[in-house]
Coordinates of all heavy atoms in Angstrom, one line a residue:
L1150 N 121.4 -114.4 -6.5 CA 120.0 -114.6 -6.5 C 119.7 -115.5 -5.3 O 120.3 -116.6 -5.1 CB 119.5 -115.3 -7.7 CG 119.7 -114.6 -9.0 CD1 119.1 -115.3 -10.2 CD2 119.1 -113.2 -9.0
V1151 N 118.8 -115.1 -4.4 CA 118.4 -115.9 -3.2 C 117.0 -116.4 -3.5 O 116.1 -115.6 -3.7 CB 118.4 -115.0 -2.0 CG1 118.3 -115.9 -0.7 CG2 119.7 -114.2 -1.9
L1152 N 116.9 -117.7 -3.5 CA 115.6 -118.3 -3.9 C 114.8 -118.9 -2.7 O 115.4 -119.6 -1.9 CB 115.9 -119.5 -4.9 CG 116.9 -119.2 -6.0 CD1 117.0 -120.4 -6.9 CD2 116.4 -118.0 -6.9
F1153 N 113.5 -118.6 -2.7 CA 112.6 -119.1 -1.7 C 111.4 -119.8 -2.3 O 110.6 -119.1 -3.0 CB 112.1 -117.9 -0.8 CG 113.2 -117.1 -0.2 CD1 113.4 -115.7 -0.6 CD2 114.1 -117.6 0.7 CE1 114.4 -114.9 0.0 CE2 115.1 -116.8 1.3 CZ 115.3 -115.5 0.9
H1154 N 111.3 -121.1 -2.0 CA 110.2 -121.9 -2.6 C 108.8 -121.6 -2.0 O 108.7 -121.0 -0.9 CB 110.6 -123.4 -2.4 CG 110.7 -123.8 -1.0 ND1 109.6 -124.1 -0.2 CD2 111.8 -123.9 -0.2 CE1 110.0 -124.4 1.0 NE2 111.4 -124.3 1.1
G1155 N 107.8 -122.2 -2.6 CA 106.5 -122.1 -2.0 C 106.2 -123.3 -1.0 O 107.1 -124.2 -0.9
T1156 N 105.1 -123.2 -0.4 CA 104.7 -124.3 0.6 C 104.8 -125.7 0.0 O 104.3 -125.9 -1.1 CB 103.3 -124.0 1.1 OG1 103.2 -122.8 1.7 CG2 102.9 -125.1 2.1
G1157 N 105.5 -126.6 0.7 CA 105.6 -127.9 0.2 C 106.8 -128.1 -0.8 O 107.0 -129.2 -1.3
G1158 N 107.5 -127.1 -1.1 CA 108.6 -127.1 -2.0 C 109.9 -127.4 -1.3 O 110.0 -127.7 -0.1
T1159 N 111.0 -127.3 -2.1 CA 112.3 -127.5 -1.5 C 113.2 -126.5 -2.2 O 112.8 -125.8 -3.2 CB 112.9 -128.9 -1.8 OG1 113.4 -129.0 -3.1 CG2 112.0 -130.0 -1.4
E1160 N 114.5 -126.5 -1.8 CA 115.5 -125.6 -2.3 C 115.8 -125.9 -3.8 O 116.5 -125.1 -4.4 CB 116.8 -125.6 -1.4 CG 117.5 -126.9 -1.4 CD 116.9 -127.9 -0.4 OE1 115.8 -127.7 0.0 OE2 117.6 -128.9 -0.2
R1161 N 115.3 -127.0 -4.3 CA 115.6 -127.3 -5.7 C 114.6 -126.6 -6.7 O 114.9 -126.4 -7.8 CB 115.5 -128.9 -6.0 CG 116.3 -129.7 -5.1 CD 117.0 -130.9 -5.8 NE 118.3 -131.1 -5.2 CZ 119.5 -130.7 -5.7 NH1 119.5 -130.0 -6.9 NH2 120.6 -130.9 -5.1
D1162 N 113.4 -126.3 -6.2 CA 112.3 -125.9 -7.1 C 112.6 -124.7 -8.0 O 112.2 -124.8 -9.1 CB 111.1 -125.5 -6.2 CG 110.4 -126.7 -5.5 OD1 111.1 -127.8 -5.5 OD2 109.4 -126.5 -4.9
L1163 N 113.2 -123.7 -7.4 CA 113.3 -122.5 -8.2 C 114.6 -122.3 -9.0 O 114.9 -121.3 -9.6 CB 113.1 -121.2 -7.4 CG 111.7 -121.1 -6.7 CD1 111.5 -119.7 -6.0 CD2 110.6 -121.4 -7.6
L1164 N 115.5 -123.4 -8.9 CA 116.8 -123.3 -9.5 C 116.7 -123.0 -11.0 O 117.4 -122.1 -11.6 CB 117.6 -124.6 -9.3 CG 118.1 -124.8 -7.9 CD1 118.8 -126.2 -7.7 CD2 119.1 -123.7 -7.4
P1165 N 115.7 -123.6 -11.8 CA 115.6 -123.3 -13.2 C 115.2 -121.8 -13.4 O 115.7 -121.2 -14.4 CB 114.4 -124.2 -13.7 CG 114.3 -125.3 -12.7 CD 114.7 -124.7 -11.4
L1166 N 114.5 -121.2 -12.5 CA 114.2 -119.7 -12.7 C 115.4 -118.9 -12.6 O 115.5 -117.9 -13.4 CB 113.3 -119.3 -11.5 CG 111.8 -119.2 -11.8 CD1 111.2 -120.6 -12.0 CD2 111.1 -118.5 -10.6
A1167 N 116.4 -119.2 -11.7 CA 117.6 -118.5 -11.6 C 118.3 -118.4 -12.9 O 118.8 -117.4 -13.4 CB 118.5 -119.1 -10.5
G1168 N 118.4 -119.6 -13.6 CA 119.0 -119.7 -14.9 C 118.3 -118.8 -15.9 O 119.0 -118.3 -16.8
M1169 N 117.0 -118.7 -15.8 CA 116.3 -117.9 -16.8 C 116.4 -116.4 -16.5 O 116.3 -115.6 -17.4 CB 114.8 -118.3 -16.8 CG 114.5 -119.7 -17.3 SD 112.8 -120.2 -17.0 CE 111.9 -119.2 -18.1
I1170 N 116.6 -116.0 -15.3 CA 116.5 -114.6 -14.9 C 118.0 -114.0 -15.0 O 118.1 -112.9 -15.5 CB 115.9 -114.5 -13.5 CG1 114.4 -114.8 -13.6 CG2 116.1 -113.1 -12.9 CD1 113.6 -114.7 -12.4
S1171 N 118.9 -114.7 -14.5 CA 120.3 -114.2 -14.5 C 121.3 -115.4 -14.5 O 121.8 -115.8 -13.5 CB 120.6 -113.3 -13.3 OG 121.9 -112.8 -13.3
P1172 N 121.6 -115.9 -15.8 CA 122.4 -117.1 -15.9 C 123.8 -117.0 -15.3 O 124.3 -118.0 -14.8 CB 122.5 -117.3 -17.4 CG 121.6 -116.4 -18.0 CD 121.1 -115.3 -17.0
G1173 N 124.4 -115.8 -15.2 CA 125.7 -115.7 -14.6 C 125.8 -115.5 -13.1 O 126.9 -115.6 -12.5
S1174 N 124.6 -115.4 -12.5 CA 124.6 -115.1 -11.1 C 124.9 -116.3 -10.2 O 124.6 -117.4 -10.6 CB 123.2 -114.6 -10.6 OG 123.0 -113.3 -11.0
S1175 N 125.6 -116.1 -9.1 CA 125.6 -117.1 -8.0 C 124.2 -117.2 -7.5 O 123.4 -116.3 -7.5 CB 126.6 -116.7 -6.9 OG 127.9 -116.5 -7.4
V1176 N 123.9 -118.4 -6.9 CA 122.6 -118.7 -6.5 C 122.7 -119.3 -5.1 O 123.4 -120.2 -4.8 CB 121.9 -119.7 -7.4 CG1 120.5 -120.1 -6.8 CG2 121.7 -119.2 -8.8
L1177 N 121.9 -118.8 -4.2 CA 121.7 -119.4 -2.8 C 120.2 -119.7 -2.7 O 119.4 -118.8 -2.7 CB 122.1 -118.3 -1.8 CG 121.9 -118.8 -0.3 CD1 122.8 -119.9 0.0 CD2 122.1 -117.6 0.6
S1178 N 119.9 -121.0 -2.6 CA 118.5 -121.4 -2.6 C 118.3 -122.1 -1.2 O 119.0 -123.0 -0.8 CB 118.2 -122.4 -3.7 OG 116.8 -122.6 -3.8
V1179 N 117.3 -121.6 -0.5 CA 117.1 -121.9 0.9 C 115.8 -122.7 1.1 O 114.8 -122.4 0.4 CB 117.0 -120.6 1.7 CG1 117.0 -120.9 3.2 CG2 118.1 -119.6 1.4
R1180 N 115.9 -123.7 2.0 CA 114.6 -124.4 2.4 C 114.1 -123.8 3.6 O 114.8 -123.6 4.6 CB 114.9 -125.9 2.6 CG 113.7 -126.7 2.8 CD 113.9 -128.1 3.2 NE 114.5 -128.9 2.1 CZ 114.5 -130.2 2.0 NH1 114.0 -130.9 3.0 NH2 115.1 -130.8 1.0
G1181 N 112.8 -123.6 3.7 CA 112.1 -123.1 4.9 C 112.3 -124.0 6.0 O 112.3 -125.3 5.9
N1182 N 112.4 -123.5 7.2 CA 112.7 -124.3 8.4 C 111.4 -124.8 9.1 O 111.5 -125.5 10.1 CB 113.4 -123.4 9.5 CG 114.9 -123.6 9.4 OD1 115.4 -124.5 8.8 ND2 115.6 -122.7 10.1
V1183 N 110.2 -124.4 8.6 CA 109.0 -124.8 9.3 C 108.4 -126.0 8.5 O 108.5 -126.0 7.3 CB 108.0 -123.6 9.3 CG1 106.6 -124.0 9.7 CG2 108.5 -122.6 10.3
L1184 N 107.8 -126.9 9.2 CA 107.1 -128.0 8.5 C 105.6 -127.9 8.8 O 105.2 -127.8 10.0 CB 107.6 -129.4 8.9 CG 108.9 -129.8 8.3 CD1 109.3 -131.2 8.9 CD2 108.8 -129.9 6.8
E1185 N 104.7 -127.9 7.8 CA 103.3 -128.0 8.0 C 102.8 -129.3 7.4 O 102.8 -129.4 6.2 CB 102.6 -126.8 7.3 CG 101.1 -126.7 7.4 CD 100.6 -125.6 6.6 OE1 100.2 -125.8 5.4 OE2 100.4 -124.5 7.1
N1186 N 102.4 -130.2 8.2 CA 102.1 -131.6 7.8 C 103.1 -132.1 6.8 O 102.8 -132.6 5.8 CB 100.7 -131.5 7.0 CG 99.6 -131.0 8.0 OD1 99.6 -131.3 9.1 ND2 98.7 -130.2 7.4
G1187 N 104.4 -131.9 7.2 CA 105.5 -132.5 6.4 C 105.9 -131.6 5.2 O 106.9 -131.9 4.5
M1188 N 105.2 -130.5 5.0 CA 105.5 -129.6 3.9 C 106.4 -128.4 4.4 O 105.9 -127.6 5.3 CB 104.3 -129.0 3.3 CG 103.4 -130.1 2.6 SD 102.0 -129.4 1.7 CE 101.1 -128.7 3.0
P1189 N 107.6 -128.2 3.8 CA 108.4 -127.1 4.2 C 107.8 -125.7 3.9 O 107.2 -125.6 2.8 CB 109.7 -127.3 3.4 CG 109.7 -128.7 3.0 CD 108.3 -129.1 2.9
R1190 N 107.9 -124.8 4.8 CA 107.5 -123.4 4.7 C 108.5 -122.5 5.4 O 109.3 -123.0 6.1 CB 106.1 -123.2 5.4 CG 104.9 -123.7 4.7 CD 103.7 -123.5 5.5 NE 103.5 -122.1 6.0 CZ 102.8 -121.2 5.3 NH1 102.3 -121.5 4.1 NH2 102.7 -120.0 5.8
F1191 N 108.3 -121.2 5.2 CA 109.3 -120.3 5.8 C 108.8 -119.7 7.1 O 109.6 -119.1 7.9 CB 109.6 -119.2 4.8 CG 110.5 -119.7 3.7 CD1 110.0 -120.1 2.5 CD2 111.9 -119.7 3.9 CE1 110.8 -120.6 1.5 CE2 112.7 -120.3 2.9 CZ 112.2 -120.7 1.7
F1192 N 107.5 -119.9 7.4 CA 106.9 -119.4 8.7 C 105.6 -120.1 8.9 O 105.0 -120.6 7.9 CB 106.8 -117.9 8.8 CG 106.0 -117.3 7.7 CD1 104.6 -117.2 7.8 CD2 106.6 -116.9 6.5 CE1 103.9 -116.6 6.8 CE2 105.8 -116.3 5.5 CZ 104.5 -116.2 5.6
R1193 N 105.2 -120.2 10.2 CA 103.9 -120.8 10.5 C 102.7 -120.0 10.0 O 102.8 -118.8 10.0 CB 103.8 -121.1 12.0 CG 104.7 -122.2 12.5 CD 104.4 -122.4 14.0 NE 105.7 -122.7 14.6 CZ 106.4 -123.9 14.4 NH1 105.9 -124.8 13.6 NH2 107.5 -124.0 15.0
R1194 N 101.6 -120.7 9.8 CA 100.3 -120.0 9.6 C 99.3 -120.6 10.4 O 99.4 -121.8 10.7 CB 99.9 -119.9 8.1 CG 99.7 -121.3 7.5 CD 99.3 -121.2 6.0 NE 99.5 -122.5 5.4 CZ 99.3 -122.7 4.1 NH1 99.0 -121.7 3.3 NH2 99.5 -123.9 3.6
L1195 N 98.3 -119.8 10.8 CA 97.2 -120.3 11.6 C 96.1 -121.0 10.8 O 95.4 -121.9 11.2 CB 96.6 -119.2 12.5 CG 97.7 -118.4 13.3 CD1 97.1 -117.2 14.0 CD2 98.3 -119.3 14.3
A1196 N 96.0 -120.5 9.6 CA 95.0 -121.0 8.6 C 95.5 -120.4 7.2 O 96.4 -119.6 7.2 CB 93.6 -120.5 8.9
E1197 N 94.9 -120.9 6.1 CA 95.2 -120.3 4.8 C 95.1 -118.8 4.8 O 94.0 -118.2 5.2 CB 94.2 -120.9 3.8 CG 94.4 -120.4 2.4 CD 95.7 -120.8 1.7 OE1 95.9 -122.1 1.6 OE2 96.5 -120.0 1.3
G1198 N 96.2 -118.1 4.6 CA 96.2 -116.7 4.5 C 96.2 -116.0 5.8 O 96.2 -114.7 5.9
I1199 N 96.3 -116.7 6.9 CA 96.3 -116.1 8.3 C 97.6 -116.5 8.9 O 97.8 -117.6 9.3 CB 95.1 -116.5 9.2 CG1 93.8 -116.1 8.4 CG2 95.2 -115.8 10.5 CD1 92.6 -116.5 9.1
F1200 N 98.5 -115.5 8.9 CA 99.9 -115.8 9.4 C 100.1 -115.7 10.9 O 99.4 -115.0 11.5 CB 100.9 -114.9 8.7 CG 100.8 -114.9 7.2 CD1 101.2 -113.8 6.4 CD2 100.4 -116.1 6.5 CE1 101.1 -113.9 5.0 CE2 100.3 -116.2 5.1 CZ 100.7 -115.0 4.4
D1201 N 101.0 -116.6 11.4 CA 101.4 -116.5 12.8 C 102.5 -115.4 12.9 O 103.6 -115.6 12.5 CB 101.9 -117.9 13.2 CG 102.5 -117.9 14.6 OD1 102.8 -116.9 15.1 OD2 102.5 -119.0 15.2
E1202 N 102.0 -114.2 13.3 CA 102.9 -113.0 13.2 C 104.2 -113.2 14.0 O 105.2 -112.8 13.6 CB 102.1 -111.8 13.6 CG 102.8 -110.5 13.2 CD 101.9 -109.3 13.3 OE1 100.9 -109.3 12.6 OE2 102.2 -108.5 14.2
E1203 N 104.0 -113.8 15.2 CA 105.2 -114.0 16.1 C 106.2 -114.8 15.4 O 107.4 -114.6 15.4 CB 104.7 -114.6 17.4 CG 105.7 -114.4 18.5 CD 105.1 -115.2 19.8 OE1 103.9 -115.0 20.0 OE2 105.9 -115.8 20.4
D1204 N 105.7 -115.9 14.8 CA 106.7 -116.8 14.1 C 107.2 -116.2 12.8 O 108.4 -116.3 12.5 CB 106.0 -118.1 13.7 CG 107.0 -119.2 13.2 OD1 107.8 -119.5 14.0 OD2 106.9 -119.6 12.1
L1205 N 106.4 -115.4 12.1 CA 106.9 -114.7 10.9 C 108.1 -113.8 11.3 O 109.1 -113.8 10.6 CB 105.8 -113.8 10.3 CG 106.2 -112.9 9.2 CD1 106.5 -113.7 7.9 CD2 105.1 -111.9 8.9
I1206 N 107.9 -113.0 12.4 CA 109.0 -112.1 12.8 C 110.2 -112.9 13.3 O 111.3 -112.6 12.9 CB 108.4 -111.2 14.0 CG1 107.4 -110.3 13.4 CG2 109.6 -110.4 14.7 CD1 106.6 -109.6 14.5
F1207 N 110.0 -114.0 14.0 CA 111.2 -114.8 14.4 C 111.9 -115.4 13.2 O 113.1 -115.4 13.1 CB 110.6 -115.9 15.4 CG 111.7 -117.0 15.7 CD1 112.6 -116.7 16.7 CD2 111.7 -118.2 15.1 CE1 113.6 -117.6 17.1 CE2 112.7 -119.1 15.4 CZ 113.6 -118.8 16.4
R1208 N 111.1 -116.0 12.3 CA 111.7 -116.7 11.1 C 112.4 -115.7 10.2 O 113.4 -116.0 9.5 CB 110.7 -117.4 10.3 CG 110.0 -118.5 11.1 CD 111.0 -119.7 11.4 NE 110.4 -120.6 12.4 CZ 111.1 -121.6 13.0 NH1 112.4 -121.7 12.7 NH2 110.5 -122.4 13.8
T1209 N 111.8 -114.4 10.1 CA 112.5 -113.4 9.2 C 113.8 -113.1 9.8 O 114.8 -112.9 9.1 CB 111.6 -112.2 9.2 OG1 110.3 -112.6 8.7 CG2 112.1 -111.2 8.2
K1210 N 113.9 -112.9 11.1 CA 115.2 -112.6 11.8 C 116.2 -113.8 11.6 O 117.4 -113.6 11.2 CB 115.0 -112.4 13.3 CG 116.2 -112.1 14.1 CD 115.8 -111.6 15.5 CE 117.0 -111.1 16.3 NZ 117.8 -112.2 16.8
E1211 N 115.7 -115.0 11.7 CA 116.5 -116.2 11.6 C 117.1 -116.2 10.1 O 118.3 -116.5 9.9 CB 115.7 -117.4 11.8 CG 116.3 -118.8 11.6 CD 115.3 -119.9 11.9 OE1 114.3 -120.0 11.2 OE2 115.6 -120.8 12.7
L1212 N 116.2 -115.9 9.2 CA 116.7 -115.9 7.8 C 117.7 -114.8 7.5 O 118.7 -115.0 6.8 CB 115.4 -115.8 6.8 CG 115.7 -115.8 5.4 CD1 116.4 -117.1 4.9 CD2 114.4 -115.7 4.6
H1213 N 117.4 -113.6 8.0 CA 118.3 -112.5 7.9 C 119.7 -112.9 8.4 O 120.7 -112.6 7.7 CB 117.7 -111.3 8.6 CG 118.5 -110.0 8.4 ND1 118.8 -109.5 7.2 CD2 119.0 -109.2 9.4 CE1 119.5 -108.4 7.4 NE2 119.6 -108.2 8.7
E1214 N 119.7 -113.5 9.5 CA 121.0 -113.9 10.1 C 121.7 -115.0 9.3 O 122.9 -115.0 9.1 CB 120.8 -114.3 11.6 CG 120.5 -113.2 12.5 CD 120.0 -113.5 13.9 OE1 119.8 -114.7 14.2 OE2 119.7 -112.6 14.6
F1215 N 120.9 -115.9 8.8 CA 121.4 -116.9 7.9 C 122.1 -116.3 6.7 O 123.2 -116.8 6.2 CB 120.3 -117.9 7.5 CG 120.8 -118.8 6.4 CD1 121.7 -119.9 6.7 CD2 120.4 -118.6 5.1 CE1 122.2 -120.7 5.6 CE2 120.9 -119.4 4.0 CZ 121.8 -120.5 4.3
L1216 N 121.5 -115.3 6.1 CA 122.1 -114.6 4.9 C 123.4 -114.0 5.3 O 124.4 -114.1 4.5 CB 121.1 -113.6 4.3 CG 119.8 -114.2 3.8 CD1 118.9 -113.0 3.3 CD2 120.0 -115.2 2.6
D1217 N 123.5 -113.4 6.5 CA 124.8 -112.9 6.9 C 125.8 -114.0 7.0 O 127.0 -113.8 6.5 CB 124.7 -112.3 8.4 CG 123.9 -111.0 8.4 OD1 123.6 -110.4 7.3 OD2 123.5 -110.6 9.5
Q1218 N 125.5 -115.1 7.6 CA 126.4 -116.2 7.7 C 126.8 -116.8 6.4 O 128.0 -117.1 6.1 CB 125.8 -117.4 8.5 CG 125.6 -117.1 10.0 CD 124.5 -118.1 10.6 OE1 124.2 -119.1 10.0 NE2 123.9 -117.7 11.7
A1219 N 125.8 -116.9 5.5 CA 126.1 -117.5 4.1 C 127.1 -116.6 3.4 O 128.0 -117.1 2.7 CB 124.8 -117.7 3.4
A1220 N 126.9 -115.3 3.5 CA 127.8 -114.3 2.8 C 129.2 -114.5 3.3 O 130.2 -114.5 2.5 CB 127.3 -112.9 3.0
A1221 N 129.4 -114.8 4.6 CA 130.7 -115.0 5.1 C 131.3 -116.3 4.7 O 132.4 -116.4 4.2 CB 130.7 -114.9 6.7
E1222 N 130.4 -117.3 4.7 CA 130.9 -118.7 4.4 C 131.3 -118.8 2.9 O 132.3 -119.4 2.6 CB 129.8 -119.7 4.7 CG 130.2 -121.2 4.4 CD 129.1 -122.2 4.8 OE1 128.1 -121.8 5.5 OE2 129.2 -123.3 4.4
Y1223 N 130.4 -118.2 2.0 CA 130.7 -118.4 0.6 C 131.4 -117.2 0.0 O 131.6 -117.1 -1.2 CB 129.4 -118.7 -0.1 CG 128.7 -120.0 0.3 CD1 127.5 -120.0 1.0 CD2 129.3 -121.2 0.1 CE1 126.9 -121.1 1.5 CE2 128.7 -122.4 0.5 CZ 127.5 -122.3 1.2 OH 127.0 -123.5 1.7
A1224 N 131.7 -116.2 0.8 CA 132.4 -115.0 0.4 C 131.7 -114.3 -0.8 O 132.3 -113.9 -1.8 CB 133.9 -115.4 0.0
F1225 N 130.4 -114.0 -0.6 CA 129.8 -113.2 -1.6 C 129.4 -111.9 -0.9 O 129.4 -111.8 0.3 CB 128.6 -113.8 -2.3 CG 127.5 -114.3 -1.4 CD1 126.6 -113.4 -0.8 CD2 127.2 -115.7 -1.2 CE1 125.6 -113.8 0.1 CE2 126.2 -116.1 -0.3 CZ 125.4 -115.2 0.3
D1226 N 129.1 -110.9 -1.7 CA 128.8 -109.5 -1.2 C 127.4 -109.5 -0.6 O 126.4 -109.6 -1.3 CB 128.9 -108.5 -2.4 CG 128.6 -107.1 -2.0 OD1 128.3 -106.9 -0.8 OD2 128.6 -106.2 -2.9
R1227 N 127.3 -109.3 0.7 CA 126.0 -109.3 1.4 C 125.0 -108.2 0.9 O 123.8 -108.4 1.1 CB 126.3 -109.2 2.9 CG 125.1 -109.1 3.8 CD 124.3 -110.4 3.8 NE 123.1 -110.3 4.6 CZ 121.9 -109.9 4.1 NH1 121.8 -109.4 2.9 NH2 120.8 -109.9 4.9
D1228 N 125.6 -107.2 0.3 CA 124.8 -106.1 -0.1 C 124.3 -106.2 -1.6 O 123.9 -105.3 -2.2 CB 125.6 -104.8 0.0 CG 125.9 -104.5 1.5 OD1 125.1 -104.9 2.4 OD2 127.0 -103.9 1.8
N1229 N 124.6 -107.4 -2.1 CA 124.3 -107.6 -3.6 C 123.3 -108.8 -3.8 O 123.5 -109.6 -4.6 CB 125.6 -107.8 -4.3 CG 125.4 -107.5 -5.8 OD1 124.4 -106.9 -6.3 ND2 126.3 -108.1 -6.6
L1230 N 122.3 -108.8 -2.9 CA 121.3 -110.0 -3.0 C 120.0 -109.5 -3.6 O 119.4 -108.6 -3.1 CB 121.1 -110.5 -1.6 CG 122.2 -111.0 -0.7 CD1 121.7 -111.7 0.5 CD2 123.2 -111.9 -1.5
V1231 N 119.5 -110.3 -4.5 CA 118.2 -110.1 -5.1 C 117.4 -111.4 -4.8 O 117.8 -112.5 -5.2 CB 118.2 -109.8 -6.6 CG1 116.8 -109.8 -7.2 CG2 118.9 -108.4 -6.8
A1232 N 116.3 -111.3 -4.2 CA 115.5 -112.4 -3.8 C 114.5 -112.8 -5.0 O 114.0 -111.9 -5.7 CB 114.6 -112.1 -2.6
I1233 N 114.3 -114.1 -5.2 CA 113.2 -114.5 -6.0 C 112.4 -115.5 -5.2 O 112.9 -116.5 -4.7 CB 113.8 -115.3 -7.3 CG1 114.7 -114.4 -8.1 CG2 112.6 -115.8 -8.1 CD1 115.4 -115.0 -9.2

Side-chain angles (χ1 to χ4, degrees):
L1150 300 182
V1151 192
L1152 312 182
F1153 303 117
H1154 61 80
T1156 300
T1159 75
E1160 65 281 14
R1161 303 221 146 262
D1162 292 9
L1163 300 191
L1164 291 174
L1166 261 67
M1169 289 168 74
I1170 291 176
S1171 179
S1174 282
S1175 297
V1176 176
L1177 177 67
S1178 190
V1179 187
R1180 185 186 295 196
N1182 262 350
V1183 165
L1184 282 179
E1185 181 186 88
N1186 301 322
M1188 296 187 294
R1190 284 175 53 87
F1191 287 93
F1192 55 88
R1193 285 183 218 288
R1194 61 181 163 183
L1195 306 174
E1197 176 70 58
I1199 303 177
F1200 301 154
D1201 177 334
E1202 197 167 293
E1203 199 181 316
D1204 191 60
L1205 173 72
I1206 292 167
F1207 174 79
R1208 298 293 171 190
T1209 306
K1210 180 169 185 284
E1211 179 183 56
L1212 180 59
H1213 184 54
E1214 289 167 359
F1215 168 75
L1216 295 177
D1217 290 345
Q1218 288 160 21
E1222 182 179 347
Y1223 298 113
F1225 60 73
D1226 179 359
R1227 175 68 184 85
D1228 297 330
N1229 198 19
L1230 304 187
V1231 173
I1233 301 177

